[in-house]
Amino acid sequence: MRRFSGPRADPALTANSGCAAGAGRARLAAAMAVPPLGAGLGRRALWKPVLLLLSPPSFSTTCARCAKDRRLRQKRAITERQLTRYFVDHRKVRVVGGQGGAGAFSFYSEPRKIFGGPDGGNGGDGGHVILKADQQTKSLSSVLPFYQGFHGERGGRKNCYGANGAYVYVKVPVGTLVKEDGEVVADLTQHGEEYVAAYGGAGGKGNRFFLSNENRSPTLFTPGEPGQERVLHLELKTTAHAGLVGFPNAGKSSLLRAISRAKPAVAAYPFTTLNPHVGIVHYQDYEQVAVADIPGLIKGAHQNRGLGVTFLKHIERCRFLLFVVDLSVPQPWVQLQDLKYELQQYDKGLSERPCVVIGNKIDLAESRINLPLLRERVAERVIPLSALTGDNLEELLWHLRELHDTYVKTEQSRGQSPVKW
């Protein structure tokens, strides 16, 4: 009499013998197959499919066909208008230090000890609110309108002092200016630099503190002092080595996309860029030069026409300037004169920083005609290029490195550390 050995598994399911998931599915299919009528199945065989179904599934990490998809999700691109909501360069903050803990009032008590004396401990100090410059933070959008330090704990018996309140650290971008009543009180220009925005209150004194020869049983104790309260205005000024300065539609954003990995918005209408973008230019010796794309200026920007002052303040941190001029317009040297005038009226000496003139859109026929005329009327070096086609970008990158090396040597001769990215 032949014994029933059960149905065979599908060969396609067990083709990959090294795959745990494929073998598991084969065993599950074999167990769930219905045997022919007449075959004697015991109670143990009837429960076998149920037990296999309740067991957790096995996944394979070696087989490419059965392994789970582990690809990382790509970061969703945001538009310039969405970026405007995330990028905040000014914020009003109310900061309050933590209140100090109250002192304790108690007398030492112990059996067979008539007079133990006062043993009330002092309260803990309140926590400070500290602004800390962080290189990873790029905007003031994460700064809340109110911060308060942690309170100190009150003193205890047996001369136990209360714990001090913890400090509250507020991360702000590098280049944040702290103002109070219109006056600058701090300038955070280095990574890790800190400024105590509000001091915590001192802890109260317990009655043990007032023990003296004249008063052997003091009943006096003091509460904790309140923390310092201030209203501060935080203002962000973009810190970069070079700044692209020009009128709208001069090609600044296209140029930044051509020389770095930054992706500012590019369109055929003015004021496409509403926020400053910083791109990093990498060199073969691992040196990095930060280039900031300043939104376009207009005439009368120093008088706060349009958003002039909002854009001009980001140029103050730039160590050298790159004036971007559209060569295709008539008399492109007039653009350069207007740009220098706006910078000089906003801050004296700003237009005298090391600079270079970039003649963009050289691929057009009108630009080739205006190029020699521009060089005759401009004393600075003129670099013609095309951000669209990439013509003559090498000359700009070499000159940009020369300006950066000169800036580093100047800062080192003064005993200061240059800005690093």
Side-chain angles (χ1 to χ4, degrees):
M1 180 176 180
R2 296 181 60 184
R3 293 183 178 181
F4 174 71
S5 58
R8 289 188 177 183
D10 189 2
L13 295 176
T14 58
N16 189 3
S17 59
C19 177
R25 287 196 298 268
R27 290 195 301 269
L28 182 60
M32 295 182 63
V34 180
L37 295 175
L41 296 178
R43 183 175 299 177
R44 183 178 304 175
L46 292 175
W47 283 100
K48 187 175 181 181
V50 180
L51 294 177
L52 284 176
L53 287 175
L54 295 179
S55 61
S58 58
F59 295 98
S60 173
T61 58
T62 58
C63 179
R65 185 179 63 180
C66 303
K68 290 192 293 184
D69 190 4
R70 300 176 180 271
R71 290 178 296 178
L72 297 177
R73 295 182 179 180
Q74 295 183 356
K75 191 174 181 180
R76 184 177 60 181
I78 59 177
T79 62
E80 189 71 21
R81 292 188 177 275
Q82 291 175 338
L83 182 63
T84 305
R85 293 183 295 177
Y86 302 137
F87 183 84
V88 179
D89 56 358
H90 58 87
R91 181 76 81 185
K92 181 180 179 181
V93 184
R94 177 170 167 258
V95 289
V96 180
Q99 185 173 0
F105 170 73
S106 66
F107 287 90
Y108 185 74
S109 177
E110 187 179 352
R112 296 183 299 274
K113 195 165 187 179
I114 303 175
F115 181 73
D119 64 346
N122 300 336
D125 299 333
H128 307 329
V129 179
I130 302 176
L131 303 179
K132 186 174 183 179
D134 184 23
Q135 196 171 4
Q136 300 299 327
T137 306
K138 303 300 181 182
S139 173
L140 294 174
S141 59
S142 60
V143 178
L144 302 178
F146 176 74
Y147 287 96
Q148 185 175 14
F150 291 92
H151 301 317
E153 297 184 3
R154 64 177 300 133
R157 302 185 53 165
K158 298 182 180 180
N159 297 323
C160 292
Y161 282 49
N164 296 331
Y167 295 166
V168 175
Y169 287 90
V170 182
K171 292 184 178 181
V172 296
V174 177
T176 301
L177 210 62
V178 185
K179 294 183 179 181
E180 184 179 15
D181 298 333
E183 297 182 0
V184 179
V185 295
D187 190 3
L188 307 177
T189 58
Q190 298 294 333
H191 174 69
E193 191 175 356
E194 297 179 358
Y195 172 72
V196 181
Y199 287 93
K205 304 298 182 182
N207 62 339
R208 177 69 176 80
F209 178 80
F210 298 98
L211 178 64
S212 62
N213 294 331
E214 292 77 14
N215 188 1
R216 303 303 300 173
S217 58
T219 59
L220 178 63
F221 64 97
T222 60
E225 297 181 359
Q228 186 182 12
E229 183 175 355
R230 303 171 67 183
V231 177
L232 303 176
H233 293 267
L234 306 182
E235 182 179 329
L236 173 61
K237 295 183 178 180
T238 305
T239 302
H241 296 120
L244 296 173
V245 184
F247 284 103
N249 275 6
K252 302 182 298 297
S253 299
S254 301
L255 181 59
L256 185 64
R257 293 170 68 102
I259 64 177
S260 68
R261 296 182 180 179
K263 301 297 180 184
V266 175
Y269 52 86
F271 295 105
T272 308
T273 304
L274 302 177
N275 304 288
H277 294 262
V278 179
I280 307 300
V281 181
H282 298 269
Y283 291 90
Q284 293 183 354
D285 57 350
Y286 303 103
E287 190 67 45
Q288 298 179 356
V289 180
V291 181
D293 176 18
I294 309 300
L297 304 177
I298 62 175
K299 292 184 179 180
H302 68 280
Q303 299 176 354
N304 203 17
R305 290 184 180 178
L307 296 175
V309 176
T310 305
F311 296 161
L312 283 170
K313 67 181 181 181
H314 293 285
I315 309 177
E316 296 181 19
R317 303 286 186 181
C318 299
R319 272 55 182 181
F320 40 90
L321 306 178
L322 306 178
F323 291 103
V324 182
V325 178
D326 187 1
L327 289 178
S328 62
V329 300
Q331 299 181 354
W333 54 89
V334 179
Q335 294 185 7
L336 182 61
Q337 297 174 0
D338 294 338
L339 290 174
K340 289 186 175 181
Y341 176 77
E342 295 297 333
L343 297 181
Q344 190 66 22
Q345 293 298 319
Y346 175 74
D347 186 8
K348 293 184 178 180
L350 188 59
S351 62
E352 299 177 359
R353 294 185 181 181
C355 64
V356 62
V357 180
I358 299 175
N360 196 13
K361 305 180 182 179
I362 193 61
D363 53 320
L364 301 179
E366 298 85 357
S367 302
R368 300 188 187 95
I369 300 175
N370 294 330
L371 178 59
L373 301 177
L374 177 62
R375 285 178 171 173
E376 293 177 359
R377 292 171 172 80
V378 172
E380 293 83 359
R381 180 177 178 178
V382 179
I383 301 179
L385 54 84
S386 175
L388 179 63
T389 62
D391 294 340
N392 204 24
L393 287 179
E394 294 81 3
E395 184 179 356
L396 173 61
L397 296 177
W398 279 110
H399 189 68
L400 184 63
R401 181 59 187 273
E402 294 176 0
L403 292 174
H404 176 264
D405 294 342
T406 305
Y407 156 71
V408 171
K409 293 180 181 178
T410 305
E411 292 295 320
Q412 292 178 352
S413 61
R414 296 177 180 175
Q416 301 177 0
S417 58
V419 177
K420 290 290 184 179
W421 280 82

